[in-house]
């Protein structure tokens, strides 16, 4: 009556797909232990690694779990332990990992009443609590794996996309905290037709390239004229970093979710290791602590 899970980090937006595109990292994530209790309530009994609320209604995992149980009119209680490895405010889906992990594990313990796709709306309630907006571009890939495209929010329709096997993601996390709520508040609410055209052209090309495994096209589609020019101001040395990774042969570079993490998409492990080393060399000369991850997309 208990389950221990790995709940993955995710990279949302991927430049061309603000709020609709995301992917799942296979080597970065939290651990969670979830067990049934006889108390008829959801409790967050332990959190290590981060200072986050234990109160069920203030915790994204608690809120997501309750949304699922309400849908089933279930009175079953659960204890949730969260071993955070992903830092809050990192831009690699910390709240999504907790929300998606909670509903994934509870669904398993209740005999898989929902498909992975059907779990997305419950996990989105955690995102609503964390950022004031129930975006799905982190929770969807956390639950489905690989790449996800949110075709529409109303009604919610999420499509799982293929993940070319040689793709590697290098993620730099400068250790400053940017709250998604704050970095959403600075984005303009309207987009010119000219920018919209370039954005949907790139998003379409990106999806096409995932199917045809056209790595070069994938990289060339990682463009963002809508959000990146505004949010990148919050990220120390963003333009220099882009230069460094592109010089080392990365396919593309952009902001991970709402930042401050940035990602470089690479073809093959060797190239990714070179890009990682170049970022390390560049950033260690700056006065900002950081973490670097290299992961497959699975
Ligand atoms: N699409 C969301 C945003 C992702 O960029 O605000 C947050 O991780």
């Amino acid at each position: 009556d208990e389950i221990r899970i790995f709940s993955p980090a995710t990279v949302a937006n991927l430049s061309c797909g603000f709020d609709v595109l995301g992917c799942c990292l296979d080597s970065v994530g939290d651990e969670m232990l979830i067990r049934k209790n006889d108390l008829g309530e959801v409790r967050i009994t332990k959190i290590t690694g981060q200072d986050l609320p234990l109160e069920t209604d203030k915790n994204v995992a608690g809120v997501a779990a309750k949304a699922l149980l309400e849908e089933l009119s279930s009175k079953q209680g659960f204890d949730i332990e969260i071993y955070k490895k992903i830092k809050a405010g990192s831009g690699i889906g910390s709240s999504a990992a907790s929300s998606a992990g909670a509903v994934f594990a509870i669904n398993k313990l209740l005999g898989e009443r929902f498909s992975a796709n059907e779990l997305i709306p419950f996990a989105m309630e955690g995102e609503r609590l964390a950022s004031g907006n129930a975006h799905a571009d982190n929770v969807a890939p956390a639950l489905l794996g690989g790449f996800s495209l949110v075709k529409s929010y109303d009604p919610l329709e999420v499509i799982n996309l293929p993940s070319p096997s040689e793709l590697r993601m290098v993620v730099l996390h400068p250790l400053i905290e940017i709250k998604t709520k704050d970095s959403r508040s600075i984005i303009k609410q309207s987009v010119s037709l000219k920018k919209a055209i370039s954005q949907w052209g790139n998003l379409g090309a990106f999806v096409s390239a995932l199917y045809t495994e056209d790595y070069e096209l994938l990289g060339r589609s990682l463009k963002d004229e809508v959000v990146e020019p505004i949010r990148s101001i919050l990220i120390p040395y963003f333009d220099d970093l882009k230069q460094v990774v592109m010089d080392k042969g990365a396919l593309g570079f952009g902001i991970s979710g709402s930042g401050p993490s940035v990602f470089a998409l690479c073809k093959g492990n060797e190239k990714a290791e070179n890009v990682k080393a170049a970022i390390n060399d560049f950033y260690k000369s700056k006065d900002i602590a950081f973490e670097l991850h290299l992961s497959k997309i699975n």
Side-chain angles (χ1 to χ4, degrees):
D1 278 352
E2 71 170 41
I3 181 171
R4 185 182 285 277
I5 59 159
F6 169 78
S7 194
T10 44
V11 173
N13 298 338
L14 294 158
S15 307
C16 56
F18 179 72
D19 271 2
V20 299
L21 189 63
C23 68
C24 180
L25 305 181
D26 84 343
S27 63
V28 191
D30 297 339
E31 275 170 34
M32 297 175 79
L33 182 72
I34 286 124
R35 68 171 71 87
K36 288 184 177 172
N37 70 35
D38 296 328
L39 305 167
E41 59 187 77
V42 176
R43 302 188 307 174
I44 311 296
T45 45
K46 188 174 178 182
I47 302 175
T48 66
Q50 288 282 283
D51 189 15
L52 293 166
L54 285 163
E55 209 177 305
T56 307
D57 291 330
K58 291 189 177 154
N59 184 289
V60 298
V63 168
K66 280 176 75 172
L68 185 157
L69 293 167
E70 260 157 42
E71 176 70 21
L72 292 174
S73 304
S74 168
K75 294 274 177 291
Q76 178 62 54
F78 289 92
D79 287 349
I80 302 176
E81 296 181 6
I82 310 175
Y83 300 89
K84 291 299 291 180
K85 306 267 165 56
I86 313 171
K87 294 195 170 56
S90 57
I92 50 172
S94 179
S95 53
S98 299
S99 310
V103 297
F104 175 84
I106 288 176
N107 188 47
K108 278 264 182 231
L109 292 173
L110 293 178
E112 302 201 68
R113 306 275 293 276
F114 298 103
S115 68
N117 213 302
E118 287 166 346
L119 291 174
I120 295 169
F122 308 125
M124 285 166 70
E125 290 308 312
E127 295 293 65
R128 192 192 306 282
L129 175 71
S131 73
N133 178 277
H135 55 91
D137 50 344
N138 290 108
V139 292
L143 286 163
L144 305 177
F147 286 88
S148 300
L149 177 75
V150 184
K151 189 256 175 208
S152 85
Y153 273 92
D154 189 16
L156 184 69
E157 189 175 345
V158 179
I159 301 164
N160 194 214
L161 302 170
S163 180
S165 61
E166 286 184 76
L167 272 187
R168 295 292 180 278
M169 193 71 105
V170 179
V171 176
L172 165 72
H173 175 205
L175 295 179
I176 53 173
E177 189 180 342
I178 297 181
K179 290 206 165 72
T180 299
K181 210 176 258 177
D182 298 335
S183 67
R184 288 186 83 85
S185 70
I186 61 172
I187 303 169
K188 290 205 190 85
Q189 290 301 310
S190 54
V191 178
S192 70
L193 184 61
K194 186 165 173 277
K195 286 182 181 169
I197 291 168
S198 100
Q199 205 83 354
W200 58 54
N202 282 317
L203 179 58
F206 188 88
V207 172
S208 166
L210 288 177
Y211 281 93
T212 57
E213 307 208 354
D214 185 337
Y215 291 89
E216 302 304 320
L217 180 59
L218 270 182
R220 278 187 282 118
S221 309
L222 286 174
K223 301 255 162 58
D224 175 7
E225 291 182 36
V226 177
V227 175
E228 184 180 292
I230 299 167
R231 281 187 171 169
S232 59
I233 295 162
L234 303 173
I235 299 165
Y237 307 104
F238 182 83
D239 293 331
D240 298 329
L241 278 165
K242 187 179 267 191
Q243 193 65 50
V244 166
V245 307
M246 296 314 286
D247 285 350
K248 279 287 165 197
L251 297 169
F253 174 81
I255 304 173
S256 174
S258 54
S261 288
V262 291
F263 70 90
L265 200 62
C266 304
K267 182 182 180 188
N269 222 46
E270 201 181 316
K271 188 74 71 152
E273 287 289 359
N274 289 341
V275 167
K276 188 179 166 198
I279 296 176
N280 186 60
D281 284 347
F282 174 80
Y283 234 67
K284 75 177 183 220
S285 66
K286 313 294 175 206
D287 247 3
I288 303 161
F290 62 95
E291 284 175 359
L292 263 175
H293 308 285
L294 194 169
S295 184
K296 288 186 191 170
I297 298 163
N298 249 323

